[in-house]
Amino acid sequence: MVVIRAARPTFRNENNKVAFAVYASFTVSDYKLLTSSSTEEVGIEKWNELENEYAFVHLNSKKVLVKCLVIDGTLSVDTLAEGASQNVHYEFKVSDYVQENEGSNYSSQFKNLDIYQSLLVRVIWKLVAWVKTLIMMNPRFHSHSLWVF
């Protein structure tokens, strides 16, 4: 909730709220938001330009593509780490995590946020496991004695 309050995003619909919480969870997990073509950290401007489609590129030790697509009230989240052969996938029913009232208080716009965040942490930890595996499989990374995730 701290990242959501600090960013002060404008939500166009309930789907925006759930998708932004995905972005916020990666930010809290020490991932930087990037443009798709660089390693320069960027802001969140125009993050919700497309209706029900969201894509973020994050960086920790590797770039991670996070794609969110809303279909029939379900947010489908797919994450793919740079160099990975498989993605991590999870689905969230949007109505399970947003309030119907549109108050100005960000906390009042969500429900079950603690459950949602714990599910997102699982997605991120699955992704971290993939990245660790990729690093361990690559001999040029073995010379580094400490990797922080």
Side-chain angles (χ1 to χ4, degrees), residues 70-81:
V70 180
I71 301 173
D72 294 328
T74 299
L75 181 74
S76 174
V77 179
D78 287 285
T79 59
L80 182 64

Side-chain angles (χ1 to χ4, degrees), residues 14-82:
E14 283 82 15
N15 303 329
N16 277 188
K17 295 174 188 178
V18 179
F20 195 85
V22 171
Y23 154 77
S25 295
F26 274 87
T27 300
V28 167
S29 298
D30 205 28
Y31 282 81
K32 298 175 187 174
L33 182 63
L34 311 174
T35 64
S36 59
S37 60
S38 77
T39 57
E40 296 291 319
E41 193 168 4
V42 296
I44 61 164
E45 299 81 21
K46 300 181 182 181
W47 72 275
N48 62 351
E49 272 189 318
L50 300 176
E51 189 72 25
N52 299 327
E53 298 175 34
Y54 313 89
F56 306 100
V57 178
H58 293 277
L59 175 70
N60 191 310
S61 59
K62 290 210 174 257
K63 279 188 180 179
V64 175
L65 173 63
V66 181
K67 295 188 326 183
C68 303
L69 178 64
V70 180
I71 301 173
D72 294 328
T74 299
L75 181 74
S76 174
V77 179
D78 287 285
T79 59
L80 182 64
E82 182 179 23

Side-chain angles (χ1 to χ4, degrees), residues 14-15 31 40 56 65 68 73 84 100 102 110 112 117 121 123 125 141:
E14 283 82 15
N15 303 329
Y31 282 81
E40 296 291 319
F56 306 100
L65 173 63
C68 303
E100 293 188 27
E102 292 293 324
F110 293 89
N112 301 324
Q117 288 174 330
V121 166
V123 170
W125 279 108
F141 288 111

